[in-house]
Amino acid sequence: MSEITIRRGTATDAPAILELYITVTSVSGGLARTADEMRLDYVEGCVAKSMENGVLLIAEREGRVVGELHTHGLGLRKFAHMLTNLTVAVHPDAQGRGLGKRLFETLLTHVRDNRPDIARVELITAESNVRGQRLYESVGFRRQGRMEQGILGPHGALESDIPMAWLRTPQQPVRVPASLPYVLGTALLAGATAAGFAFFAARVLGLSALIASSATGIAAAAFVGYAIHRDGRPRQG
C-alpha cells in the first residue's frame, strides 16, 4: 500500500476535506456535524481561519486526501496564546495505522518549533470516545474537567463532553547578566570608597599603607561582586 504523506493545507483543499468529512461522519459519526450539516462554506471558513492564525494539515495517499487536522485562534487578545476548535478526521480506509497520532505529532512539533506565542492547544471530545481520549493523552493532552450533558448523542441521549488541552512546558527562569554600564559604575564607586577608606585607615587608625590598601581592595572587590550577582539574579522570562 502506498505511503501516506502529511503536508500543510491550502485553500484548494476545501472540496476534498468536505468529501472526507461526509465520509467519516457517515461511517463513524466521529465529527460534531452530521453528514447533512456538512457544507462547503463551513469547510472553507475553517480552512481560512486555520491558514490565517492556526494550523491546517492534510494527509494524502496517491493524491487523495485521507486525513485532515485543523485548529485556529479566536482572534481575541485575551486568547492569543491558544489554538482551539481542533478537528481531526481520518478516512475509514486509513484508520488503525497510526495516522491520527502522526497528525497530532506534526501539529505539536510545528507549535513547539514555530509558534512560541502558543502556550495552549485545546479540544473537546465526547466522554464515550475512549479511544480518542487515549490518543490525545498519548501525545500530551490532559483532561481538564467534565461538561455534563454537553452533547446530544445520535440516539437522543445526553452525554458529557471532556475538555482536554496540551500545555507548553513553562520555561525556566532566565538569568539576566549584569549590564556593562552598571558594572563600570559600580567599580568606580567601589574604587572611590576604597581610596577614602585607605586614607582614613592610614592616617587615623595608624595602619600601614600596604595593609590599608589590601583591606580596602578586598572590600571593594567583594562589593563589586555582590552588585553583579544582585543585578544578575534570576528573573522570570
Side-chain angles (χ1 to χ4, degrees):
M1 186 171 292
S2 302
E3 181 183 359
I4 297 177
T5 59
I6 297 177
R7 62 171 174 80
R8 297 296 296 272
T10 67
T12 59
D13 291 313
I17 295 173
L18 174 62
E19 182 180 348
L20 172 67
Y21 283 0
I22 292 175
T23 300
V24 170
T25 195
S26 299
V27 175
S28 64
L31 299 175
R33 294 187 176 223
T34 59
D36 61 299
E37 293 174 323
M38 294 293 180
R39 299 187 304 271
L40 183 59
D41 60 341
Y42 159 71
V43 176
E44 289 175 338
C46 294
V47 168
K49 292 177 183 177
S50 300
M51 292 180 61
E52 179 183 1
N53 182 27
V55 181
L56 173 64
L57 299 175
I58 298 294
E60 280 186 329
R61 182 171 59 198
E62 298 180 342
R64 179 188 178 197
V65 175
V66 295
E68 184 266 356
L69 181 151
H70 74 262
T71 180
H72 56 78
L74 294 175
L76 301 174
R77 291 182 180 177
K78 287 189 176 181
F79 304 109
H81 66 288
M82 59 185 275
L83 296 177
T84 186
N85 291 335
L86 191 153
T87 296
V88 60
V90 176
H91 195 282
D93 294 343
Q95 293 180 8
R97 296 179 173 84
L99 179 55
K101 186 172 185 177
R102 284 181 58 194
L103 286 166
F104 271 95
E105 289 174 341
T106 303
L107 163 68
L108 297 178
T109 297
H110 173 76
V111 170
R112 291 190 191 97
D113 296 345
N114 303 295
R115 294 296 303 271
D117 57 312
I118 298 300
R120 173 187 176 91
V121 181
E122 65 178 25
L123 60 83
I124 297 178
T125 185
E127 189 172 41
S128 60
N129 186 15
V130 177
R131 181 180 177 184
Q133 292 171 42
R134 290 173 180 169
L135 166 62
Y136 310 145
E137 289 175 341
S138 73
V139 294
F141 283 75
R142 295 293 177 263
R143 295 189 182 197
Q144 295 200 320
R146 181 172 181 264
M147 302 164 62
E148 295 186 5
Q149 299 184 0
I151 186 174
L152 186 63
H155 303 294
L158 292 173
E159 184 180 347
S160 297
D161 265 341
I162 304 298
M164 303 183 71
W166 171 90
L167 305 177
R168 185 184 295 274
T169 303
Q171 295 182 349
Q172 294 297 318
V174 178
R175 191 173 186 83
V176 182
S179 61
L180 181 60
Y182 180 85
V183 173
L184 293 177
T186 302
L188 291 174
L189 177 62
T193 304
F197 180 77
F199 177 83
F200 173 80
R203 290 297 182 91
V204 178
L205 300 181
L207 298 178
S208 67
L210 178 62
I211 295 177
S213 298
S214 299
T216 54
I218 294 174
F223 179 74
V224 172
Y226 168 74
I228 294 175
H229 173 74
R230 183 185 63 182
D231 189 59
R233 65 190 180 279
R235 297 176 184 174
Q236 295 294 330

